[in-house]
Amino acid sequence: MVERYVMSIDQGTMSTRCILFDHQGRLVSVGQREHEQYFARPGWAEHDPTEIWSHLRRVVVPRALEGAGIRPEQIAAIGIANQRETTVVWDRRTGVPVGHAITWQDTRTSGYVEELRRTTGDDFFLERCGLSPTTYFSAPRLRWLFDHVDGLRERAGRGEVLFGTMESWLIWNLTGGPDGGLHLTDATNASRTMLMNIRSLTWDDELLAYFDVPRAMLPEIRSSAERYGTARALLPDVPICAALGDQQAALFGQTCFAPGEAKCTYGTGSFLLVNTGTELVRSRHGLLTTVGYKVGGEPTVYALEGPIAVTGSLVQWFRDRLGLIHSAPEIETLARGVEDNGGCYIVPAFSGLFAPHWRSDARGVIVGLTSYITKGHLARAVLEATGWQTREVVDAVNADSPRPLRQLKVDGGMTSNNLLMQFLADVLDMPVVRPMVSETVSLGAAYAAGLASGYWPDLEGLRRNWHRAAQWMPTMDPARREAEYESWRRAVERSLGWAGP
Amino acid sequence: MAGPVQSIERAAAILRLLAQGSGRLSLGEVAASLGLAKGTAHGILRTLQSVDFVEQDKATGKYQLGAALLHLGTSYLDINELRSRSINWTDALAARSGEAVRLGVPLEGKVLIVHHVFRPDDTFQTLDVGSLLPLHASALGKILLAYGTTPLEPLMESALENYTRYTLDSPQQLSRALAEIRDTGWAFSAQEMMMGEAGVAAPIRGQGGLVVGAVGISGAMDRLCDTKGRPLGSLVGLTRDAARAISRDLGAARW
Ligand SMILES: Nc1ncnc2c1ncn2[C@@H]1O[C@H](COP(=O)(O)OP(=O)(O)OP(=O)(O)O)[C@@H](O)[C@H]1O
Ligand SMILES: [Mg+2]
C-alpha cells in the first residue's frame, strides 16, 4: 500500500508554508515562500492576496510535494491555518481582490474604534462577540473599506463582492474560484471578526446591523474540522477537511485538549491561549474570549487568549531597519556577547500594546540608555521584551483562572533561541517546554484535517504523538527577577500615552 | 589536464577590481572595466553575491566586496542560525529514530554542541547545548575531522586521549577511520568515549558542498547496533537523510 500523508497549509503574516506530515505526526517535507509586506503609510500594513495565492500554487505546494517525492493522490486531507483577522474582499465573478488585504497589524481604524468605544461602549460588543473593539479585528476594517471604496457597500449588498479572512480566500480559490468556489470560514476565524455571536457561532444580526455589513458578502461559518469539499485547482480531488486561525491551530497541535492546558506561539507576534473547555470565560484581566476549536458536531471548545503584537517582528526590525544583524537567529550571538541588558529596556509598542494593556496610544520606547550601552545590550533588551510581555500575559491568565499555569508549552520560530527560552523560564519561574514539532501551527491544521478525514481516529491518539524536544528550567535569583520586572513595568509606563489619546 | 575555468578567472578579476580604489562600482563600470558583456558580469556578480563575497548597496545598486571575504578563515555560518535552520529536520530525526539528536561544530579542538533534541520518550533530560565533546572519540567529531571542517594536525601531534579501551588512540587508527568515513559518507562511534554508548553522524554541507557541521544520533549500544556491534542500517539512513535535508536548506545543491 502506498504511504499517505496529511497536508497543512499555513498562511502566515510573513510567509506561506506547506508541510506534509506522516501518520506519527512527523514532518516529512516543507515548502515555504515569503510575501511582500506593504507599509504604504505609518500604521498601515497590507498584503497582496493575489501574490499569496500565486505563491501557494506555483511554489509552496509544489515544493512540499517534490520534497516528499509524492503525488497528490497520496494526500489524505488538507488542513489550513492562517493569519487571523486579516481582511480580504474580492469580486465573486472575476476573483480579483478589491485592493490589498488589510492585515491584523494595521491600525488605520484607530480613530473609528475610539469613537465606537466612546459612543457605544464595550459591553454591547462583549456580550455578543466576546471582544471589545480594537483595531485588531476585522469588522472595523470592513467598515473602513465601505467608507473609502466607492460603491463597495452597494456591491457587497448585491453579493457581487465577497469578504473573508485568508482561509476563506484560499479555500475559495482552491475549490474553483469564480467557477463554483466554496465560500466558507470556520468558527475560530469567524470569532475574530467581531461579527459572529460567540455562543451561537452564527453571524450576529445586531453586529451586522451595527457595522452595516450585508450578509450576502459573508462566508458560511463551519466547524474547524469537517469535510468542506474537494480541491479542484492544484490538488485535484483532495478533500479539504480543516481550517483554523493559526493560534487556535497551534493550541490543537500542542494537543491542549483539556481545560487549563495552554501554549504560547512565538512568531511575528506571540499568542498565549488557554483551553477553557466548553465554558465561555470572560476575562477580568485583559484577555480575550475566543473559540478554541470546534470539531465537527461536537460542543464548541473555548479559549482565553493573550495576544502580544510585537515579538519576532522586533527581531526583524532589529535586523532590517537597524541592520545590526543579518539573520534573526544572529541576535542570540550578539546578545550572548554581553552579561546582561546593561540597564536597557525596549518596549516594542509599535502599534500600541495588546494584552493585557490594550493601549492603542502606546508607542515604542527604549529606556535606560547610557554611554555604556552597546548593540549587545540592545539585543538582550530585544529578547527580554518577549520574555516580559509573556510574563504579563501569564500573570493575567493566573489572575483569571482557578488553575494557575505550572509550565508553559511553546512553539514557533523564536523557540530555536536558547537564550530567549532560558530567559522565559527565568522570568516566568516555571519550566518552558518545546515539543518535537516546532511548526505546531501546521501540525494542528494537519491534526484537525486528519481527524475529520479518519486518517487519525481520536484526540487521545494525537496526544500520544506529543513528545518533549527540549526543556528549560528557571534558575534566576528571585530578588533579581522582581527587580527586573519592576524596571520593565516602569518602562511600559513610559510607553503609554505617547501617541496621544 | 583541463585548462583554467574561465568564469572563475573572471570572478577573481572582479574581486580584484572591487578591492581597488573606492571599491563601489556599478554593473556597467564592472563590465566596461573588464571588457565583459553586461549579462556575463551580472551573472558572476550575482553568484559572488550569493556566497557573500560581494554586496550590493540597496540604494545605489553599486557593488562592493562582501564582509565574508574579510573572515574567510572563520566559519561563515552563525551557530544560532545553523540551529534555527536545522530544527525541523533534527526534530523529525529524533522522532523517527527514537534517539537524542545533537548538532556539532568545531571549537578550539573540540566539538561544540550547538543543538540538542531530547530522546522522544518524555523522560527527564537536560539540554547540553554549549558542552564540548572530544573530536576523535565522537561520531560528530570524526565527521568534522574527516571533511576538514577542523584541522587534523594539532590532534595528531599531541597524544590522543584515551577514554575507554575502544577509543581510537593512535594516529594510524584514526586516519584509517577518517578515510573510511569519507568513503561511506557517515561516521560511527561505539563505546569510544563511554562504555555502552554509541553514535551515528553525517556531514552538514553549506554552499558549494563545504562541510560546516555534523548532525547525529546517540544512545545505548543495544538500541543503535545489531548483535555484531554494527549500527542499524535504518538509523544510518535516517541520519544521512536529515543531514541532506539540512544541507539542502543551507544551499548545498547536490546533497
Ligand atoms: N533564533 C531566533 N531568535 C529570535 N527570533 C527569531 C529567531 N528565529 C526566528 N525568529 C523570529 O521569529 C519569527 C519567525 O517565526 P515563525 O516562522 O514561527 O513566524 P511566522 O510563522 O513566519 O510568523 P507568521 O505566522 O506571523 O508569518 C520572525 O519574526 C523572526 O524574527
Ligand atoms: Mg506562523
Side-chain angles (χ1 to χ4, degrees):
Chain A
M1 209 182 82
V2 285
E3 184 74 53
R4 285 161 67 81
Y5 304 89
V6 175
M7 173 182 282
S8 73
I9 293 170
D10 172 9
Q11 202 303 295
T13 309
M14 303 306 297
S15 71
T16 307
R17 296 176 174 83
C18 175
I19 301 186
L20 290 164
F21 292 97
D22 69 11
H23 217 273
Q24 280 73 43
R26 300 174 304 207
L27 179 148
V28 177
S29 69
V30 186
Q32 182 172 7
R33 178 74 190 261
E34 296 198 349
H35 52 264
E36 201 69 43
Q37 306 289 323
Y38 297 90
F39 302 111
R41 302 186 194 180
W44 288 31
E46 301 178 345
H47 293 156
D48 176 358
T50 307
E51 178 194 6
I52 287 174
W53 165 237
S54 139
H55 281 173
L56 183 73
R57 206 158 49 106
R58 302 222 176 105
V59 184
V60 177
V61 167
R63 268 192 203 156
L65 290 175
E66 210 176 284
I70 68 159
R71 298 179 311 276
E73 305 89 84
Q74 286 171 268
I75 301 168
I78 305 170
I80 298 177
N82 56 287
Q83 55 169 319
R84 306 170 304 171
E85 302 100 10
T86 294
T87 303
V88 193
V89 176
W90 68 95
D91 186 308
R92 147 178 278 154
R93 220 168 28 80
T94 62
V96 177
V98 176
H100 283 165
I102 308 180
T103 76
W104 60 277
Q105 297 166 303
D106 190 295
T107 56
R108 75 183 65 180
T109 61
S110 60
Y112 171 63
V113 166
E114 287 307 319
E115 184 192 308
L116 59 90
R117 292 187 77 169
R118 206 172 48 243
T119 54
T120 311
D122 290 357
D123 284 344
F124 171 79
F125 302 100
L126 277 168
E127 272 160 34
R128 288 163 182 82
C129 63
L131 308 168
S132 24
T134 75
T135 59
Y136 182 25
F137 307 114
S138 318
R141 284 190 196 108
L142 203 44
R143 191 61 255 158
W144 186 94
L145 282 171
F146 290 158
D147 292 340
H148 291 82
V149 180
D150 260 356
L152 188 64
R153 170 65 185 78
E154 292 68 34
R155 294 178 65 206
R158 292 194 297 268
E160 291 169 19
V161 292
L162 303 177
F163 157 81
T165 34
M166 277 295 173
E167 82 296 352
S168 300
W169 165 247
L170 293 181
I171 292 171
W172 188 78
N173 278 294
L174 280 166
T175 54
D179 186 14
L182 299 174
H183 187 216
L184 52 90
T185 183
D186 90 299
T188 66
N189 274 297
S191 80
R192 317 292 292 194
T193 55
M194 291 194 77
L195 296 172
M196 185 189 80
N197 187 290
I198 188 85
R199 292 169 204 281
S200 67
L201 307 193
T202 56
W203 299 119
D204 184 288
D205 283 322
E206 286 174 286
L207 289 169
L208 296 190
Y210 186 92
F211 290 106
D212 191 25
V213 172
R215 242 171 215 284
M217 78 182 311
L218 295 176
E220 183 190 351
I221 303 174
R222 304 280 287 269
S223 83
S224 322
E226 64 176 86
R227 196 183 159 106
Y228 303 132
T230 55
R232 288 174 57 191
L234 190 57
L235 296 157
D237 299 325
V238 182
I240 304 174
C241 294
L244 301 98
D246 54 5
Q247 299 309 318
Q248 283 90 340
L251 187 73
F252 209 77
Q254 286 267 22
T255 65
C256 295
F257 300 140
E261 292 188 314
K263 68 85 206 181
C264 192
T265 302
Y266 292 88
T268 305
S270 294
F271 303 83
L272 192 149
L273 272 76
V274 193
N275 184 322
T276 60
T278 51
E279 192 189 350
L280 209 160
V281 179
R282 177 84 64 87
S283 170
R284 280 169 293 112
H285 298 91
L287 306 173
L288 309 174
T289 306
T290 197
V291 175
Y293 52 87
K294 180 168 171 61
V295 176
E298 286 169 33
T300 309
V301 172
Y302 291 96
L304 274 177
E305 171 177 332
I308 305 166
V310 177
T311 55
S313 53
L314 181 62
V315 177
Q316 240 146 5
W317 174 81
F318 199 72
R319 182 192 72 187
D320 300 337
R321 302 277 163 162
L322 300 191
L324 292 171
I325 45 175
H326 293 99
S327 71
E330 259 180 56
I331 195 155
E332 184 173 351
T333 312
L334 190 54
R336 280 188 191 276
V338 293
E339 289 291 303
D340 56 29
N341 61 20
C344 177
Y345 300 82
I346 302 181
V347 182
F350 290 179
S351 46
L353 285 172
F354 283 12
H357 306 282
W358 297 108
R359 289 285 295 261
S360 56
D361 62 350
R363 284 300 174 270
V365 295
I366 303 180
V367 298
L369 290 180
T370 59
S371 45
Y372 171 75
I373 297 298
T374 63
K375 57 186 177 177
H377 297 112
L378 290 175
R380 283 250 168 192
V382 162
L383 295 178
E384 293 185 1
T386 294
W388 290 121
Q389 291 188 100
T390 309
R391 168 70 192 261
E392 291 177 328
V393 168
V394 167
D395 283 357
V397 168
N398 286 346
D400 266 335
S401 145
R403 287 174 289 253
L405 292 182
R406 292 180 194 292
Q407 63 161 20
L408 188 64
K409 290 179 168 182
V410 298
D411 55 82
M414 292 181 98
T415 59
S416 72
N417 188 315
N418 282 320
L419 184 65
L420 172 61
M421 291 300 109
Q422 182 58 52
F423 185 74
L424 198 55
D426 283 341
V427 302
L428 299 180
D429 196 19
M430 61 175 75
V432 167
V433 183
R434 180 179 83 78
M436 204 132 290
V437 175
S438 51
E439 297 278 7
T440 309
V441 169
S442 297
L443 184 64
Y447 275 174
L451 211 54
S453 68
Y455 184 81
W456 282 300
D458 54 23
L459 296 183
E460 272 319 300
L462 297 179
R463 249 186 209 290
R464 283 192 295 275
N465 286 343
W466 191 98
H467 294 296
R468 199 187 300 128
Q471 172 161 286
W472 294 267
M473 303 298 280
T475 57
M476 193 185 262
D477 165 49
R480 168 134 182 267
R481 180 185 305 123
E482 274 323 299
E484 287 292 312
Y485 196 12
E486 184 51 31
S487 301
W488 166 260
R489 286 203 202 95
R490 290 197 294 137
V492 169
E493 260 160 45
R494 279 165 181 68
S495 77
L496 302 178
W498 185 260
Chain B
M1 201 182 89
V5 180
Q6 191 182 42
S7 58
I8 295 182
E9 281 186 338
R10 287 172 169 173
I14 289 180
L15 292 176
R16 287 214 166 91
L17 180 68
L18 291 174
Q20 292 162 4
S22 82
R24 281 164 192 264
L25 300 176
S26 68
L27 170 62
E29 288 163 341
V30 170
S33 303
L34 298 175
L36 294 175
K38 261 195 183 179
T40 309
H42 188 237
I44 296 172
L45 281 164
R46 283 273 300 268
T47 308
L48 289 170
Q49 202 182 345
S50 76
V51 298
D52 296 329
F53 280 14
V54 159
E55 287 170 5
Q56 188 178 22
D57 186 77
K58 277 208 185 81
T60 62
K62 291 197 174 193
Y63 293 92
Q64 65 191 78
L65 291 185
L69 272 182
L70 305 174
H71 312 284
L72 263 184
T74 56
S75 168
Y76 68 90
L77 190 65
D78 179 84
I79 56 172
N80 294 306
E81 187 171 358
L82 179 59
R83 179 186 324 109
S84 181
R85 305 263 286 259
S86 310
I87 199 162
N88 282 334
W89 307 112
T90 47
D91 278 353
L93 175 58
R96 292 209 161 79
S97 65
E99 300 297 338
V101 173
R102 286 179 182 75
L103 214 140
V105 301
L107 180 76
E108 295 166 3
K110 301 265 186 193
V111 183
L112 172 69
I113 302 302
V114 297
H115 182 39
H116 173 194
V117 183
F118 291 167
R119 192 174 56 249
D121 58 9
D122 299 326
T123 57
F124 184 82
Q125 296 163 65
T126 43
L127 277 184
D128 59 13
V129 173
S131 63
L132 299 167
L133 297 179
L135 283 168
H136 68 290
S138 63
L140 292 172
K142 287 195 281 184
I143 290 286
L144 301 178
L145 288 171
Y147 292 96
T149 313
T150 190
L152 184 59
E153 295 74 24
L155 210 62
M156 293 301 204
E157 283 157 15
S158 60
L160 291 167
E161 190 172 341
N162 223 322
Y163 296 93
T164 71
R165 61 195 153 97
Y166 297 104
T167 309
L168 306 179
D169 57 1
S170 79
Q172 294 78 0
Q173 270 183 317
L174 185 57
S175 302
R176 228 177 301 127
L178 297 181
E180 195 185 319
I181 290 168
R182 283 187 292 268
D183 273 351
T184 58
W186 54 277
F188 175 54
S189 69
Q191 319 196 80
E192 291 160 41
M193 194 169 61
M194 213 195 298
M195 292 307 290
E197 291 287 311
V200 174
I204 298 174
R205 295 177 186 274
Q207 277 176 343
L210 196 67
V211 174
V212 295
V215 61
I217 57 174
S218 55
M221 256 317 259
D222 53 3
R223 285 199 310 267
L224 264 67
C225 301
D226 61 18
T227 49
K228 296 201 192 75
R230 294 300 302 161
L232 300 177
S234 58
L235 293 179
V236 172
L238 290 172
T239 306
R240 299 187 73 193
D241 286 347
R244 277 192 210 102
I246 299 167
S247 302
R248 264 196 305 273
D249 269 10
L250 292 178
R254 271 189 304 132
W255 290 271

